[in-house]
Amino acid sequence: MTNPVKSVLEADHESLDHVLAELEAEFATQHVAHALELLDLFWARLAVHIRAENLHLFPALTNASPLLFTGKNGLPTAEEVQHLLLRMRTDHEFFMKDLATRVKTLREIVGSQAVHLEEIKEVRRGLDTVKKRLLVHNRMEEKQVYTWPILLFDEVTVARLCEGLQNELNNLPGRFAKEATGNLRDV
């Protein structure tokens, strides 16, 4: 059986990586206004991804019987699950707060119509920190957390979980309605 939870969430990681790559390209060409649009999109898309995990995946794992977590057959112990999910939530809080700060800074820069090279460099450095931490975070999710539902739950439960995740991922803020059609430049 394929792992639909892993497939859906990994595909979203890849999609977020594409937005981040486009954002980095915009910074490289000094298109700060469009970089702001892409940073805002990345922040919103990551928030939706995090919301999907926090509302559906993490509670499903937390509420699963501790007896299922044997430490064998690809499953951790219940204590390891709680520890890793706490780490994931801590990362999620870091990403959202840090990106909010970066978006605010870029909005101020774009709104002032003045050149703020040092502030732009600081935003880029901060994004590099986020990118590095996100890379480690995503690897941990993909290698561990995303593999557990298929080992724990029956097909119907996994399908329901996947549906809940997908519904959240599709629920972008209204200002990004055009993004859903793939027209990032039109945002």
Side-chain angles (χ1 to χ4, degrees), residues 34-175:
H34 192 248
L36 170 59
E37 292 173 358
L38 289 168
L39 179 58
D40 190 33
L41 174 63
F42 179 74
W43 180 41
R45 293 275 316 280
L46 186 59
V48 167
H49 182 93
I50 287 169
R51 182 180 63 213
E53 291 176 346
N54 287 346
L55 292 179
H56 297 281
L57 180 60
F58 294 175
L61 296 171
T62 299
N63 295 328
S65 170
L67 299 174
L68 295 173
F69 295 102
T70 61
K72 300 174 186 169
N73 300 322
L75 287 169
T77 65
E79 185 177 296
E80 290 168 333
V81 169
Q82 296 310 316
H83 176 73
L84 187 56
L85 293 182
L86 178 61
R87 180 171 177 181
M88 297 294 102
R89 286 184 175 109
T90 300
D91 283 349
H92 289 171
E93 288 176 25
F94 166 78
F95 297 139
M96 290 298 95
K97 287 179 182 176
D98 192 83
L99 290 170
T101 300
R102 309 288 166 211
V103 168
K104 180 181 178 198
T105 300
L106 270 190
R107 281 185 181 140
E108 290 169 357
I109 290 169
V110 169
S112 75
Q113 304 268 334
V115 177
H116 298 273
L117 295 178
E118 280 307 309
E119 290 92 342
I120 293 170
K121 285 180 186 176
E122 178 55 34
V123 168
R124 291 182 76 180
R125 280 190 295 269
L127 284 174
D128 193 45
T129 299
V130 167
K131 183 179 177 181
K132 288 175 184 172
R133 187 166 175 178
L134 190 59
L135 181 66
V136 171
H137 176 92
N138 288 351
R139 255 193 236 132
M140 290 174 69
E141 286 181 333
E142 292 172 3
K143 299 271 186 219
Q144 296 178 60
V145 180
Y146 296 173
T147 66
W148 299 337
I150 200 156
L151 300 172
L152 293 169
F153 307 125
D154 61 42
E155 285 185 47
V156 172
T157 303
V158 170
R160 255 189 258 126
L161 175 58
C162 191
E163 183 180 331
L165 291 166
Q166 192 63 64
N167 285 340
E168 293 298 334
L169 295 175
N170 292 338
N171 193 14
L172 279 171
R175 70 185 186 274

